[in-house]
Amino acid sequence: KFITMKRSKHRASKDDGKGQDEPAILETEDMRMPDPDTISLASVTAVTTNVSNKRSKPDIKIEPSAGRPVDFQVSVTVIEARQLVGLNMDPVVCVEIGDEKKYTSMKESTNCPYYNEYFVFDFHVPPDVMFDKILKVSVIHSKNLLRSGTLVGSFKLDVGTVYTQPEHQFFHKWATLCDPDDITAGCKGYVKCDIAVVAKGDTIKTPHKANETDEDDIEGNLLLPEDVPAERQWARFYVKIYRAEGLPKMNTSIMANVKKAFIGENKDLVDPYVQVQFAGQKGKTSIQKSSYEPIWNEQIVFTEQFPPLCRRMKVQIRDSDKVNDVAIGTHFIDLQKIANDGDKGFLPTLGPAWVNMYGSTRSYTLMDEYQDLNEGLGEGVSFRARLLISLSVEILDTSSPEVMSSTEVQVEGIPNISDNATGKIEEFFLFGCFLEATMIDRKIGDKPINFEVTIGNYGSEVDTPTKPKTKKKKGGDGDDEESELIHGSSDEEVDDGGDMTSVSTTPPMKPVITDRNYFHLPYFERKPCIYIKSWWQDQRRRLYNANIMDRIADKLEDGLNDVQEIIKTEKAYPERRLRGALEELSNGCRFVYMSWNQAGKTKLDRERLKLCMQELENIGQQAKNMRSQVKKSNVKDKIKLAQNFLHKLRFLSDEPQHSVPDIYIWMISNNKRIAYARVPSKDILFSSVDEETGKDCGKVQTIFFKLPGKKSFGPAGWTVQAKTELYLWLGLNRQRKDYLSGLPNGFEENKAVKGPGIHSSPPISLMYTMKQIFQLRVHMYQARSLFAADSTGLSDPFARVFFSTHSQVTEVLNETLCPTWDQLLVFDNVELYGEAGELRDDPPIIVIEIYDQDTVGKADFMGRTFAKPITKMSDEHYGPPRFPPQLEYYQIYRGNGTAGEMLAAFELLQIGPAGKADLPPIDGPSDFDRGPILPVPIGIRPVLSKYRIEVLFWGLRDLKRVNLAQVDRPRVDIECAGKGVQSALIQNYKKNPNFSTLVKWFEVDLPENELLHPPLNIRVVDCRAFGRYTLVGSNAVTSLRKFIYRPSDKSVSNWSDMGVYAEIKAVLRVKMNSKGGKGKKKRKKGEEVEEEELDESMLDWWSKYFASIETLKDVRDVEIVKLFYMYQKIMWEIMFLPQMYNRELEYEFDTFEGWLHTFNLYRGKCSDDADVEQNAADEDRLIGKFKGSLCIYKVPASDDVSREMGFDSNMGMFQNIPHNDPINVLVRVYVVRATELHPADINGKADPYIAIKLGKTEIKDKENYISKQLNPVFGKSFDIEATLPMDSTLTVSIYDWDLVGTDDLIGETKIDLENRFYSKHRATCGLSTSYSIHGYNVWRDPMKPTQILAKLCKDGKMDPPQYGPGGRVKVANRVYTGPTEIEDENGLKKQTDEHLALAVLNRWDDMPRIGCKLVPEHVETRSLLNPDKPGMEQGRIELWVDMFPKDMPAPGPAIDISPRKPKKFELRVIVWNTDEVVLEDDDIFTGEKSSDIFVRGWLKGQQEDKQDTDVHYHSLTGEGNFNWRFIYPFDYLQAEEKIVISKKESMFSWDETEYKIPARLNLQVWDADHFSADDFLGAIELDLNRFPRGAKTAKQCSIDMVINEQDMPMVNIFKQKRIKGWWPFVARDENDELEITGKVEAELQLLTGEEAEKSPVGEGRNEPDPLEKPNRPDTTFLWFLSPLKAIRHLICNQYKWLVIKIVLALMLLAIIALFLYSMPGYMAKKLLGV
């Protein structure tokens, strides 16, 4: 299951090699508790509960889950964009995931384009890779073939963020666009989109669409996860890279020797640099040439919004190379783990700390087959290097001027860091002892084998660091410290304390054969040891704190497993165990103490310490409160809450800052590395405080070795390479006095060194002097739901049991998936080393592997499970409560998936001094025909009773060919617990696939305990000529519980008066249309209510359809129901709404399997990479279906069974079942529409049409394909005549029409008509909620409600209904009321009982004994699937099916559901005047501000039909007069409130594409320029269904009409028809704020097409009905057209006073000049007296 993978992935890093063996149910991510019939009843109790202090729990899963590729589908719908910043743009939206890009079409000159385009991206990659991909939505302005366009803004998040959302999707959310090159600029607009990520097997539910108005609230619907604030700030992420050490030697190959010969010196042959990837950006440090210990001291700076929507940062050390750079190691920083968004939270911070990198093996090869591991894919198989880094985040103040506005990645130098910044270096000591090595794969069994243990680079043969010379030097590379001790040389390397440095490998040893498949190493009493000294910074505190929390989590997990176990096995008091677990949790959390007193403590250490203490306290408190609320009734809900605690604890315990690297153990055969195991260092770390010690420290743990890298995928990697019993201890060298204390007692140390330092040196092997002898009894009873390993779809299973170095097999049972071996395997003389008492509490585990026997070649592996035996020492009594052991179910695993379960018991009995005589005798049933095989003894095998199994054989369906031949004469064999029955033979499958004899029975002995019932096998064989039989397919019914007959409870209360009629339902269903509820809720005073009468002639089937979609939204809102009671106002149409089911109808009515069940028949091998559940859904293996049923009851049956009336003994328990003769029916399929189809053409669209197949009839509606549409509305019905049972599966497919070549299948859905036809829910024709005999709501069924009711009463053996006066009817002692009159076409009223009968039918589920919900009139939504892409939904289809038997009266004609034709409308907009328009131009002569105003308008989506007024030149006040009329004809769908446009997408398009676009009028005001482009001044967009009422005067018109729309009175032009007023024009200023740039007085008038034809008008001011010319002032002309006029205007108007002043001044000057001029002459004259 993909879910499983995800969970394991979260835990892979911490849990590998750790014994978390949860039952399968803990695997699902949302922790649903499934119903006991569907969950596997696997018990791991034997392994989980019996844990003592010397052994650790084993890990049952072998395969690492991280790296396996999975199918993903990411679907993105770009709906529209709003508030894009920029003037008059032509926007395109680009959606980019990884390297794939897809573009929407371009919308011209709009800032709020509407697209509604759907894109699908398909991937086949591992989940980690998928979730790290960046999804980017960007808006690009004016992109075309020649130019790439300019980026307006973009939004990015990683796919993992989408996947962690509820339902894995964001629905109708607004993404905020930012400009990455200018972070100071703020928001650049919004894009509304849906994003969904589906992995194979996920089902996605589309949420109910909220109201358009709610979604228009952009701030409230941002595309962000719940906990992220709406305003995200910009931040700088500083990743400091200091240095690395321990890098592997790269090209130590021929090339190196050549280089050495030329250069003459041996340099380090690696040129490392560090690359960091975050949020789609990359940064690199400089390259350090030739260095195994590079020092960079650089920081890489990312600028990204905070909190980022990208969870992981990828840090990679790479080796620079001329040809191609390769990764040396990769580390992911999970930002969630290094930050906390709580009130006392902290920004992401890390280090300075070392991070350890793991990857491929260190031995250099030219072609590294594990290179993927170095890229961070899959689990690393060896230590690669460690890197010293730190990370910090700084929130930017974007308003400050010094901030760099670009988000380019920067790389800068930083100062060096002190050596002890990361902690004091300490000497660590690792000790290990191999107690057992068994189950070694036979492929490597012939060569000597040894084990190598490494910690970091210490202990490795390839790179061998030495002890740091000073205490400061890190454990880097140095001389070869591999101790020669192992090679037997005498000159041991001895340390100051007489210690030897290290012994890191065990001596090679040749394996010994265990059985045909496996070998073991003959360690016997001599157990080899290893020990390694290493030097690391002392950061144990981090690991201690993680261990403290893991301890608490482990206890909680065990407790929860026990509770689940108790629930599954139906034991008493699960709530008590849960209370106990919660009490343990609250105590564990409350009394915990985490401290920190070591050097090298980072900010993250301090913050995490506070956070963990705080969280633990909270969890402790919540657990305490929860404990008191646990009751029997709510156990399952409380388990879910407790699971959340578990997740939280696991999350907290995962330490992001590393310290000591993990330990790797490699199995080496003949110097080749074969398989490895990885042990986290924290699990074996010693502390003097018990809580802080690792859970496997000083304990014997069972470790399974696995193949490295991709080899571990699939069946090859599931065989155990080796199983070791291993003891490990890690701690400071000075703490090592007790390092051997956890070993099983009874050994002597064998040291290599003789001489003075003998006391302190560790042993190189242990000699066990104590051994105990046991007999192991394995009671293998049965298994079920095993993996199908053969092509027949069955297996030939046998089990192989391993214990210590012994192994035995059960017998092979042929052709079954549910073997009952009933076999006792006795292992004699098993020698176990150690003290008796310890072995009693803590025996080794038993491994059981199940194989499929093949006649040729090796047996196939089918699964594995573990168990712990119950141990009895020789001095104990064999008796209750422990003995004899109980049979229990054990979950079988195959890789990571479950593969069935096994029922068995295990006991380990010590053979005392008296030998075997003391052992309890084996008393099984005497069964001589099995030869030497012993059956399971009587005290252990289940107690059996006699049961009778009755089988209803109905028929076989959809059988495919077997070995190329058609199935002709099939028969069904039923087998259970060794007994069985065969059906009658079907003589001719093609003619009639039903059986002639319906019921047969057989008797069988079954266990009293229902949980132990064996499965029942159904097998279909085809009887061919010459007495040959071929197996067609089989099915194993694993749970018989639902078929066990339980007598019905007769004491049903007969409560009487039920009579409220269906009004209650109508109330809930009523559509609160605008005048009913919502309008009133929001009404402001002063807004009158426009009431309109409902016009019945306007109503059609689509009115019902759209009303019910509305109801789907509304019923969720209880408020509305209350409101409805307030305004008791029922619109009459609402009574008839069809029920909308947003999934397949059968899921609403328990798959229509009342008495007729469908059993899928499988054939062929299961696929290896899937779970059992996924294989069950695998279409390729499905070969057909068996229809029938089972009934199981104890014999003799209770008396009341046979007493029922009319008991037919031939039919047994299956009374009142219709005959199964062929029936002719008329099938009428109504296909309403399809949604979200998977695009089939290159252009990202499809041309869908319907194809229907039923039996031999095939209808392809090819000529009516719908062009370029992913959400086509079909509105068609098809009639097909069919004969059940031959034509029982109806297939409705959607194909993509192609001009050339064959049409592609988009998806199909299959409907089982037969189950519907015979269902008690009466799915032949849905019941309306009301009865009428004419109109669009006419009754569709040929049977009237009264006839249906009478028939149901007769079939249910009840009295017929009694109709009384006053609109009452009595059925089964209940009284119903309802209306009794009906109107015919002419309006005449008649009396009728039909309403009454229908009221009873609509409440039929209230009936005692036989009541059930009857299928209402409905539309069902079905998933479309494509066989080529199994498990991935390819879209959905809405349809319903009616069936009418031919022996009944014929039904009426089909209802017309053809899509509504859009209605023609004409919108006339008269632009009268503008005012206060901003003035753009400066006058050349006078410098005055003015504008040459004109207004442009268009309807959204019809930009090419835009219309302009004439220009009002030279407006000085912003006033413009136009009296200009725009005319916009359009086609409109009233129900959907959308305009319909049909146009060709491009000149190459074959046909027109239909678009549906919201009805919005755009008006813009412009400034006309003659020589340059016109200037855009402002705009307003009016949604014709809901826009603010215009202001009465220009003064009252304000920007509030745009900003605070919700507070304004709103109008709808489709109701108002005509409106006049002032509206504001707005635009964005430099600060991105909206400002008012003008006002327009306009009049909007809406006419229907007919009205417009009757009263035509002219565009502009043209005839007919011309508008008068505007009275414009004289300034509105151009000076160069009439210069005199211009001069006159200049002089007269503007410069009048100036001219007067100048004239006066000139006159004055003239007078003075004249005076001065004539003065001398005049004076002379005067003087001379002339």
Side-chain angles (χ1 to χ4, degrees), residues 202-403:
D202 288 347
T203 49
I204 279 209
K205 301 188 187 75
T206 305
H208 291 296
K209 299 187 169 46
N211 283 350
E212 285 283 327
T213 47
D214 298 347
E215 283 168 13
D216 286 348
D217 164 23
I218 293 181
E219 296 300 320
N221 278 302
L222 290 178
L223 196 152
L224 293 172
E226 286 278 298
D227 45 359
V228 175
E231 286 289 324
R232 293 197 297 150
Q233 296 159 291
W234 285 94
R236 287 261 158 84
F237 291 75
Y238 298 96
V239 185
K240 296 187 170 66
I241 311 286
Y242 299 103
R243 57 171 174 260
E245 63 180 37
L247 270 66
K249 304 197 169 25
M250 293 303 273
N251 31 12
T252 48
S253 57
I254 312 154
M255 279 307 294
N257 297 332
V258 173
K259 272 190 192 171
K260 188 173 175 183
F262 280 114
I263 310 167
E265 56 176 316
N266 193 3
K267 276 185 158 173
D268 290 355
L269 293 164
V270 61
D271 306 328
Y273 66 92
V274 175
Q275 173 180 297
V276 183
Q277 277 174 278
F278 176 55
Q281 290 185 299
K282 269 185 199 163
K284 295 178 185 173
T285 64
S286 55
I287 296 169
Q288 296 293 316
K289 290 279 184 214
S290 311
S291 169
Y292 288 132
E293 298 219 332
I295 297 177
W296 289 282
N297 289 334
E298 292 178 31
Q299 71 177 0
I300 298 176
V301 186
F302 294 94
T303 309
E304 186 52 50
Q305 282 184 300
F306 188 84
L309 297 181
C310 306
R311 296 208 316 263
R312 301 208 301 176
M313 187 179 275
K314 182 175 179 181
V315 182
Q316 207 169 46
I317 305 182
R318 296 178 74 84
D319 176 23
S320 168
D321 191 67
K322 301 271 187 303
V323 189
N324 69 330
D325 297 0
V326 291
I328 295 174
T330 304
H331 174 69
F332 291 100
I333 300 174
D334 187 340
L335 295 178
Q336 289 171 321
K337 294 207 163 120
I338 59 168
N340 172 19
D341 54 6
D343 306 338
K344 297 182 179 162
F346 53 93
L347 292 174
T349 170
L350 175 83
W354 290 95
V355 295
N356 302 318
M357 296 186 172
Y358 306 100
S360 66
T361 50
R362 294 178 66 89
S363 46
Y364 181 78
T365 48
L366 211 54
M367 291 301 296
D368 188 348
E369 56 181 330
Y370 308 129
Q371 183 52 40
D372 274 1
L373 301 176
N374 297 336
E375 298 280 358
L377 294 179
E379 180 191 57
V381 299
S382 155
F383 177 79
R384 296 290 289 174
R386 51 187 210 138
L387 177 67
L388 182 54
I389 59 170
S390 75
L391 179 135
S392 56
V393 173
E394 170 196 22
I395 302 284
L396 293 181
D397 174 14
T398 41
S399 58
S400 78
E402 22 322 338
V403 168

Side-chain angles (χ1 to χ4, degrees), residues 1205-1261:
M1205 304 183 290
F1207 186 84
D1208 175 0
S1209 56
N1210 291 337
M1211 298 299 285
M1213 291 290 176
F1214 296 101
Q1215 301 292 316
N1216 307 329
I1217 277 179
H1219 57 78
N1220 66 352
D1221 303 339
I1223 294 183
N1224 293 328
V1225 288
L1226 171 69
V1227 178
R1228 190 169 275 169
V1229 186
Y1230 292 89
V1231 182
V1232 182
R1233 63 173 181 169
T1235 54
E1236 293 177 9
L1237 295 179
H1238 196 292
D1241 295 340
I1242 309 159
N1243 60 10
K1245 294 277 194 293
D1247 307 317
Y1249 67 86
I1250 306 170
I1252 291 182
K1253 184 172 189 299
L1254 179 60
K1256 296 196 176 78
T1257 315
E1258 215 168 326
I1259 300 175
K1260 282 204 167 183
D1261 194 25

